Amino acid sequence: MFDQTFVEGTAKTHKSWTVVLSFAGQCALIGVGILIPLIFTDTLPRAQLTSFLVAPPPPPPPPPPPPPAPPKVVKVIPRQFDAGKLMAPKQIPKEIANIKEEELPPPSSGTVVGGVPGGVPGGAPGGVIGGIIGAVPTAAPPPPPEKKAVTPQRIRVGGNVQQANLIRKVQPVYPPLAKQARIQGTVRFTAIIGKDGTIQNLQLIGGHPLLVEAARSAVSQWQYKPTLLNGEPVEVVTQIDVNFTLSQ
């Protein structure tokens, strides 16, 4: 046998039916292996098959939309007056409201018209609730004291008017130099006449320089009658003119 199989490889079998028979046997074994699980299904795991065959549950449905808001009804009130004139209604109303006025309770004895609830009988209108302040008559307030007129401390009077109150007038001495130079004119001052009539705060307004000092020296000695206002002496602001002429 070894000589036929391995020696030089020249000896070969010529039985082809053995090959066919081997191929058919192998196919039968494979078919039996496939058919057995299909025939005997009870032996297979049921839970695994069920997971394969059952479809997954569907997703939950979306929540329902919120109900729509009811439409807002705007009630149009017909105008009864237009530019002060009464307008007729466009349609006749189905129902007419009947307004009944309730009768007021009879007034209790001793009450006052216009009083407040809880007031004291016999009180006055506008009294305090639960009190007797409004019912007690009160005396009229005293009149305010009369204001006394305030007298000003200083007034202004024209020079011609104040000249009448002059009780002592000193004539100025004509300066010799001004007289030789034939200088004449008016020296004007503003002054405050005190409450006692004396000259205070003498201020120069205008005049020739050679005549000013002589005029100032004379006016400072003048004396006026005190000026009274409302019976009280006051200071007076006035204007004083001193005239220099060559003929004096």
Side-chain angles (χ1 to χ4, degrees):
M1 181 175 70
F2 287 100
D3 293 337
Q4 294 177 357
T5 304
F6 298 101
V7 175
E8 295 179 0
T10 58
K12 296 181 180 180
T13 179
H14 296 284
K15 297 179 180 180
S16 58
W17 60 272
T18 57
V19 177
V20 174
L21 182 61
S22 175
F23 179 74
Q26 293 178 5
C27 289
L29 290 175
I30 293 172
V32 170
I34 293 173
L35 292 177
I36 286 176
L38 298 176
I39 296 172
F40 300 99
T41 57
D42 296 338
T43 59
L44 296 176
R46 186 177 299 273
Q48 186 176 3
L49 291 176
T50 305
S51 63
F52 290 152
L53 298 178
V54 177
K72 185 180 292 185
V73 179
V74 179
K75 186 177 181 181
V76 180
I77 301 176
R79 295 187 302 172
Q80 296 182 356
F81 293 90
D82 188 6
K85 297 181 180 180
L86 182 64
M87 298 178 58
K90 296 182 179 180
Q91 59 181 1
I92 300 174
K94 296 181 180 180
E95 297 181 358
I96 300 175
N98 187 11
I99 302 174
K100 294 182 179 180
E101 296 183 357
E102 298 181 357
E103 296 182 358
L104 296 175
S108 59
S109 60
T111 58
V112 179
V113 178
V116 295
V120 177
V128 180
I129 298 177
I132 59 174
I133 297 178
V136 178
T138 57
E146 296 182 359
K147 292 184 178 180
K148 188 177 180 180
V150 179
T151 303
Q153 297 296 321
R154 182 179 299 175
I155 61 175
R156 180 177 291 274
V157 178
N160 296 331
V161 176
Q162 194 64 19
Q163 188 73 18
N165 294 329
L166 184 60
I167 58 178
R168 180 170 177 263
K169 183 177 181 180
V170 177
Q171 293 294 338
V173 178
Y174 212 114
L177 185 59
K179 201 169 188 179
Q180 293 177 2
R182 303 188 65 82
I183 297 173
Q184 60 184 357
T186 302
V187 179
R188 184 166 296 168
F189 299 96
T190 59
I192 297 177
I193 302 175
K195 296 179 181 181
D196 56 352
T198 58
I199 298 296
Q200 300 175 3
N201 195 15
L202 192 63
Q203 299 289 335
L204 175 66
I205 296 177
H208 198 280
L210 293 178
L211 303 175
V212 169
E213 290 301 325
R216 186 190 300 273
S217 177
V219 172
S220 299
Q221 304 176 46
W222 288 7
Q223 182 73 30
Y224 286 85
K225 183 180 179 180
T227 302
L228 301 179
L229 184 63
N230 296 329
E232 296 182 6
V234 293
E235 295 180 347
V236 177
V237 179
T238 188
Q239 179 176 305
I240 300 175
D241 294 339
V242 181
N243 298 319
F244 288 88
T245 58
L246 294 174
S247 60
Q248 68 183 20

